[in-house]
Amino acid sequence: MNILSLLTPKENTFYLDTHSTIRQALEKYDYHKFTVVPLIDKEGHYVESVSEGDILRFIKNNKNFNLQQAEDILLCEIEKYRSYKALQVSCSMVDVFMLSLDQNFIPMIDDRGMFIGIIKRKDIIGYFIDRYPVKKK
């Protein structure tokens, strides 16, 4: 199987720039209904992923936090609770399957580290359901 058949291309994926603000992230989370998104730098390299939980922990730990600050604090300044590992598009399907056990999506990069899209756990499960249908009793 070709890994690219599972890829949701960057153009069809929600991601943020590392220099996006908390406010911008919250607006996008609310609109798109995602809970974790990839962060890319100005050149397009995958850097890390940020979750709603990361932002909520930041707000909780900064007791004097207000909405005005949300417009000034960059996502790259927020401590991330959990790392989302990216895989190169040249990796094996086993690598993708194994990482999907721990991540609900896998950021995919090319050989230059450029973000090219994601592989969603949902699409991996769908692949197996299509190929190995469950027989009803």
Side-chain angles (χ1 to χ4, degrees), residues 18-22 24 69-78 80:
T18 53
H19 287 86
S20 297
T21 65
I22 288 176
Q24 291 168 319
Q69 289 175 306
E71 295 183 16
D72 299 326
I73 299 170
L74 303 179
L75 296 177
C76 60
E77 299 172 12
I78 295 174
K80 311 309 182 286

Side-chain angles (χ1 to χ4, degrees), residues 8-34:
T8 300
K10 177 181 176 179
E11 299 79 38
N12 300 332
T13 302
F14 170 47
Y15 58 90
L16 291 165
D17 184 279
T18 53
H19 287 86
S20 297
T21 65
I22 288 176
R23 182 192 55 77
Q24 291 168 319
L26 291 174
E27 287 174 356
K28 294 235 180 191
Y29 284 133
D30 185 42
Y31 180 79
H32 293 284
K33 308 297 184 227
F34 291 124

Side-chain angles (χ1 to χ4, degrees), residues 13-112:
T13 302
F14 170 47
Y15 58 90
L16 291 165
D17 184 279
T18 53
H19 287 86
S20 297
T21 65
I22 288 176
R23 182 192 55 77
Q24 291 168 319
L26 291 174
E27 287 174 356
K28 294 235 180 191
Y29 284 133
D30 185 42
Y31 180 79
H32 293 284
K33 308 297 184 227
F34 291 124
T35 58
V36 181
V37 296
L39 293 179
I40 62 172
D41 66 16
K42 295 283 187 199
E43 291 79 36
H45 298 95
Y46 174 75
V47 177
E48 60 188 345
S49 292
V50 64
S51 71
E52 286 178 321
D54 295 330
I55 294 172
L56 289 173
R57 273 184 289 286
F58 180 85
I59 291 170
K60 177 188 77 78
N61 294 331
N62 291 279
K63 301 198 184 322
N64 295 325
F65 185 84
N66 62 54
L67 289 178
Q68 179 60 41
Q69 289 175 306
E71 295 183 16
D72 299 326
I73 299 170
L74 303 179
L75 296 177
C76 60
E77 299 172 12
I78 295 174
E79 181 180 350
K80 311 309 182 286
Y81 175 72
R82 182 175 161 216
S83 174
Y84 265 66
K85 182 178 178 186
L87 292 176
Q88 282 196 340
V89 72
S90 60
C91 72
S92 73
M93 286 304 291
V94 172
D95 293 333
V96 171
F97 297 151
M98 296 304 293
L99 192 53
S100 73
L101 295 172
D102 296 323
Q103 298 179 188
N104 58 354
F105 72 90
I106 301 164
M108 299 301 294
I109 57 174
D110 65 13
D111 59 350
R112 300 169 298 146

